[in-house]
């Protein structure tokens, strides 16, 4: 049978107990996120092999111990086996290494070497570049870079196969979500187990449908269109349109997206965590309730469903979409460079086999077209996008427009920086983790290298420039390189918690309270509140 209103009332208590973040875990991640040490390259192959052991064993033990206290000890019956259907041996000889690069000339040389070797760049910031490659490729790569850089590298992930394995759910511990009564009962009697694992696409879709069924008065699940392979791209809208809150005119809206890159599972899990947290806080937390009376929040957990599904079945580290390109053996577009750029120029990346290939022109990627067409249609039907959070991983950065050019600043750059710093502070107060704040172009070395060339546009640029979403950000979630795209399952809830605090700050700012710290004082500012809510 369906849960009664009385059972619904205990949800915040269940969530508070089950989903509380671990401050010890946050401390471990702060330590783990410090710059990597240097490794002598004289015996690099031997060092890579010798590094195939757990880094920071004390912190790992502490983190796992805290996780056991919160979530319970894993079942020993299935603790040694995982359930991926893809072959893990494909990652056996791969490692992830970091190059510490700060000079622009070194960045350019390294970028050229990476391009020549067709290597997979995991992260590219003004401080470091992380690269995945076969161990045997390391020496040839070092020969292509200056001697001054040849000692400025270290191994981040020495055993990629095991790191991939650890992200999949343990056999026997997954949960199917649907319309069955027992699934509903499980949500309430067993706690929020959905976030104890990363979830495949089919489970996410069923779970979203279940959330709509449970909260029909404020929730609506829709498809914004189909992917290249025909999978629906689902959106989930939350808002209070009852009584005086009904608005036949413009409805101010915050958009939160994830999963533009298939392998960034934590972005998808974080979007679903935010969805769950906001929908269950309605009527319980005054700020969230007020926010949903004035604003809609639309969540799209998986913008790239083809790529995401492919990471579960074929290649855990697949980044792009699965669309056919002009080269028959190279599939996929990078959705982070598939939108129209601010300059309107064509993308200069012409290698379809590149991980950053966004197309020879804007909107060649089906999924980018679907999101843009949906956004235009929404604005034509009374939606005003006032805020946009596009979640990615990793490197703990908060980035604002523009992505495709460093030569032009957005008109409200100071406001974007102010709110960005506020979001970073909300995260830091929540978990102790530090997020940097900058423009997207300044925050990535690959963008800087192409600053004076035509490059593909990102979603945050397009929503900011074309749909006038004044507060658009790309947030790169945990961590800073110890796990990279392979963040352990135990970090799903802590990452969701710190982003929930950021989203609350974001909403509170738009309500005119200038962030969480000023909520009580802001109640006295009636005229200022009205101006901010109207966003004139």
């Amino acid at each position: 049978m369906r849960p009664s209103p009385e059972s619904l009332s205990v949800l915040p208590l269940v969530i508070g107990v089950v989903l509380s973040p671990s401050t010890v875990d946050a401390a471990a991640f702060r330590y783990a996120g410090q710059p990597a040490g240097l490794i002598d390259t004289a015996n690099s192959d031997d060092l890579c092999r010798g590094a195939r052991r757990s880094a920071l064993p004390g912190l790992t033990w502490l983190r796992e111990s805290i996780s056991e206290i919160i979530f319970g000890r894993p079942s020993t019956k299935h603790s040694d086996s995982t359930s991926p259907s893809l072959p893990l041996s494909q990652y056996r000889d791969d490692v992830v290494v970091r190059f510490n690069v700060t000079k622009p000339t070194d960045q350019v040389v390294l970028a050229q070497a990476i391009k020549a070797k067709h290597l997979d760049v995991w992260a590219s910031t003004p401080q470091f570049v992380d690269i995945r490659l076969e161990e045997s490729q390391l020496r040839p790569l070092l020969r292509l870079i200056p001697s001054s850089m040849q000692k400025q590298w270290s191994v981040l992930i020495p055993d990629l196969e095991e790191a991939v394995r650890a992200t999949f759910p343990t056999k026997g511990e997954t949960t199917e979500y649907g319309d069955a009564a027992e699934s509903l009962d499980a949500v309430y009697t067993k706690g929020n187990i959905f976030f104890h694992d990363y979830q495949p696409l089919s489970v996410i879709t069923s779970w979203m449908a279940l959330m709509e069924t449970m909260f029909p008065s404020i929730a609506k699940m829709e498809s914004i269109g189909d992917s290249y392979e025909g999978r629906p791209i689902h959106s989930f809208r939350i808002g209070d349109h009852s009584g005086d809150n009904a608005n036949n005119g413009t409805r101010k809206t915050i958009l939160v997206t994830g999963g533009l890159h298939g392998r960034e599972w934590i972005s998808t899990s974080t979007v679903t965590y935010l969805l769950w947290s906001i929908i269950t806080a309605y009527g319980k937390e005054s700020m969230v309730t007020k926010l949903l009376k004035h604003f809609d929040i639309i969540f799209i957990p998986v913008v790239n469903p083809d790529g995401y599904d492919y990471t579960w079945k074929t290649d855990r580290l697949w980044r792009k979409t699965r669309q056919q390109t002009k080269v028959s053996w190279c599939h996929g577009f990078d959705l982070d460079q598939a939108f129209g750029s601010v300059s309107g120029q064509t993308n200069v990346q012409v290698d379809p086999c590149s991980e950053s290939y966004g197309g020879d022109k804007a909107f060649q990627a089906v999924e980018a077209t679907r999101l843009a067409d949906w956004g235009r249609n929404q604005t034509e039907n009374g939606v005003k996008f006032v805020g946009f959070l596009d979640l990615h991983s990793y490197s703990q950065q908060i980035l604002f427009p523009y992505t495709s050019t460093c030569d032009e600043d957005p008109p409200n750059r100071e406001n974007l920086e102010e709110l960005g710093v506020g979001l970073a502070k909300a995260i830091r107060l929540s978990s102790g983790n530090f997020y940097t704040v900058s423009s997207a172009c300044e925050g990535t070395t690959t963008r800087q290298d192409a600053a004076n060339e035509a490059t593909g546009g990102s979603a945050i640029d397009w929503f900011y420039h074309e749909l006038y979403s004044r507060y658009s950000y790309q947030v790169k979630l945990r961590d800073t390189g110890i796990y990279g795209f392979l963040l352990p399952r135990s970090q799903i809830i802590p990452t969701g918690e710190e982003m929930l605090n950021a989203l609350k700050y974001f909403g509170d700012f738009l309500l005119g309270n200038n962030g969480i710290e000023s909520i009580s004082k802001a109640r006295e500012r009636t005229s200022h509140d009205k101006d901010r809510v109207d966003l004139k």
Side-chain angles (χ1 to χ4, degrees):
M1 58 186 296
R2 291 193 181 280
S4 64
E6 290 77 13
S7 64
L8 284 172
S9 66
V10 304
L11 271 175
L13 178 60
V14 174
I15 295 170
V17 173
V18 176
L19 306 185
S20 57
S22 168
T23 55
V24 177
D25 217 23
F29 262 69
R30 286 200 302 275
Y31 180 79
Q34 298 305 310
L38 302 182
I39 297 180
D40 186 359
T41 60
N43 297 299
S44 58
D45 291 345
D46 293 335
L47 284 169
C48 283
R49 285 190 290 271
R52 292 187 184 277
R53 58 184 180 272
S54 176
L56 303 174
L59 291 176
T60 300
W61 172 85
L62 182 60
R63 180 176 62 249
E64 292 176 351
S65 298
I66 295 298
S67 297
E68 286 183 5
I69 292 173
I70 298 174
F71 304 125
R73 185 178 295 275
S75 170
T76 56
K77 180 178 180 181
H78 301 291
S79 60
D80 293 329
S81 59
T82 56
S83 56
S85 58
L86 55 86
L88 296 180
S89 59
Q90 62 185 304
Y91 314 109
R92 184 162 298 161
D93 298 324
D94 289 2
V95 295
V96 177
V97 297
R98 166 167 295 179
F99 284 88
N100 297 312
V101 291
T102 55
K103 297 179 181 179
T105 53
D106 289 346
Q107 293 167 357
V108 171
V109 171
L110 183 59
Q112 292 172 344
I114 291 170
K115 184 177 180 180
K117 293 293 182 180
H118 291 93
L119 301 179
D120 181 10
V121 176
W122 275 32
S124 179
T125 77
Q127 290 75 41
F128 59 82
V129 176
D130 296 346
I131 308 166
R132 169 202 172 193
L133 74 170
E134 289 186 12
E135 194 173 311
S136 60
Q137 292 180 301
L138 186 53
R139 283 190 182 278
L141 175 64
L142 294 174
R143 296 190 190 105
L144 297 178
I145 61 178
S147 57
S148 60
M149 296 179 60
Q150 291 182 6
K151 291 187 177 181
Q152 302 297 314
W153 66 276
S154 58
V155 177
L156 292 181
I157 303 179
D159 190 344
L160 196 61
E161 179 182 2
E162 181 55 35
V164 167
R165 184 192 307 277
T167 61
F168 282 89
T170 303
K171 281 185 177 180
E173 294 186 0
T174 57
T175 300
E176 294 296 332
Y177 291 84
D179 295 328
E182 58 266 26
S183 295
L184 283 169
D185 291 340
V187 171
Y188 294 105
T189 60
K190 297 181 181 178
N192 200 352
I193 57 177
F194 182 78
F195 301 105
H196 290 187
D197 280 313
Y198 293 110
Q199 303 293 351
L201 185 64
S202 60
V203 175
I204 292 172
T205 301
S206 298
W207 179 85
M208 291 172 67
L210 178 61
M211 292 300 103
E212 181 186 35
T213 301
M214 292 169 61
F215 302 94
S217 63
I218 60 171
K220 186 176 183 181
M221 179 180 173
E222 297 178 312
S223 171
I224 71 169
D226 288 346
S227 67
Y228 173 76
E229 293 182 340
R231 295 179 176 86
I233 305 171
H234 290 293
S235 68
F236 197 97
R237 184 190 306 267
I238 306 175
D240 182 353
H241 292 231
S242 63
D244 295 337
N245 304 314
N247 189 343
N248 296 324
T250 299
R251 181 72 177 183
K252 291 174 284 293
T253 299
I254 300 168
L255 176 63
V256 183
T257 59
L260 271 77
H261 293 143
R263 63 190 177 188
E264 297 174 9
W265 287 7
I266 190 61
S267 70
T268 291
S269 291
T270 302
V271 174
T272 56
Y273 187 89
L274 295 176
L275 185 164
W276 165 261
S277 300
I278 293 297
I279 203 170
T280 54
Y282 176 78
K284 307 297 187 300
E285 294 186 26
S286 59
M287 192 282 291
V288 172
T289 302
K290 181 179 179 182
L291 178 66
L292 294 180
K293 290 181 184 296
H294 288 288
F295 295 83
D296 283 353
I297 307 180
I298 300 177
F299 299 92
I300 306 179
V302 191
V303 179
N304 176 16
D306 297 347
Y308 185 79
D309 190 65
Y310 194 78
T311 62
W312 280 82
K313 297 176 180 178
T314 306
D315 182 358
R316 171 64 180 86
L317 297 175
W318 184 261
R319 168 185 169 91
K320 300 187 288 182
T321 68
R322 291 297 301 161
Q323 186 173 340
Q324 181 61 61
T325 67
K326 62 187 179 183
V327 177
S328 60
W329 58 87
C330 294
H331 289 76
F333 292 85
D334 176 5
L335 291 183
D336 198 31
Q337 298 198 51
F339 292 79
S341 65
V342 174
S343 64
Q345 293 176 290
T346 302
N347 196 310
V348 296
Q349 175 57 261
V350 295
D351 181 6
C353 299
S354 168
E355 292 288 349
S356 60
Y357 179 67
D360 297 329
K361 59 182 180 180
F363 296 109
Q364 279 188 277
V366 168
E367 293 78 9
T369 300
R370 296 289 183 266
L371 185 60
D373 288 347
W374 170 81
R376 291 191 190 97
N377 182 265
Q378 292 289 305
T379 59
E380 292 170 0
N381 287 276
V383 169
K384 181 177 182 181
F385 290 104
V386 295
F388 180 28
L389 296 175
D390 181 26
L391 305 190
H392 287 255
S393 72
Y394 61 94
S395 64
Q396 296 180 194
Q397 293 178 291
I398 297 173
L399 307 173
F400 54 82
Y402 293 119
T403 300
S404 58
T405 178
C406 292
D407 296 331
E408 182 178 352
D409 281 334
N412 66 330
R413 174 171 178 138
E414 290 184 358
N415 293 332
L416 286 165
E417 286 183 312
E418 175 191 357
L419 179 52
V421 170
L423 297 176
K425 184 176 182 179
I427 292 172
R428 187 172 70 254
L429 293 176
S430 167
S431 65
N433 279 323
F434 286 84
Y435 280 58
T436 61
V437 180
S438 71
S439 75
C441 179
E442 296 166 344
T444 58
T445 57
T446 52
R447 301 295 187 184
Q448 291 179 1
D449 293 341
N452 297 315
E453 300 175 334
T455 62
S458 68
I460 62 168
D461 281 9
W462 190 85
F463 271 85
Y464 179 88
H465 194 259
E466 297 296 328
L467 298 188
Y468 309 107
S469 177
R470 290 179 55 192
Y471 295 100
S472 293
Y473 298 89
Q474 182 180 106
V475 181
K476 294 191 176 183
L477 303 167
R478 296 186 185 188
D479 61 0
T480 56
I482 295 300
Y483 299 107
F485 298 122
L486 303 173
L487 201 65
R489 293 169 290 154
S490 62
Q491 291 300 305
I492 295 172
I493 291 173
T495 304
E497 275 294 307
E498 65 185 23
M499 271 309 301
L500 176 60
N501 279 273
L503 179 58
K504 287 180 178 179
Y505 187 101
F506 192 86
D508 196 56
F509 182 90
L510 294 178
L511 285 170
N513 300 332
N514 294 323
I516 295 171
E517 294 177 309
S518 304
I519 291 177
S520 58
K521 295 181 180 179
R523 290 174 182 150
E524 303 172 2
R525 308 182 201 149
T526 55
S527 61
H528 179 63
D529 284 358
K530 182 179 184 301
D531 289 342
R532 180 64 65 79
V533 169
D534 290 341
L535 289 174
K536 293 180 179 178

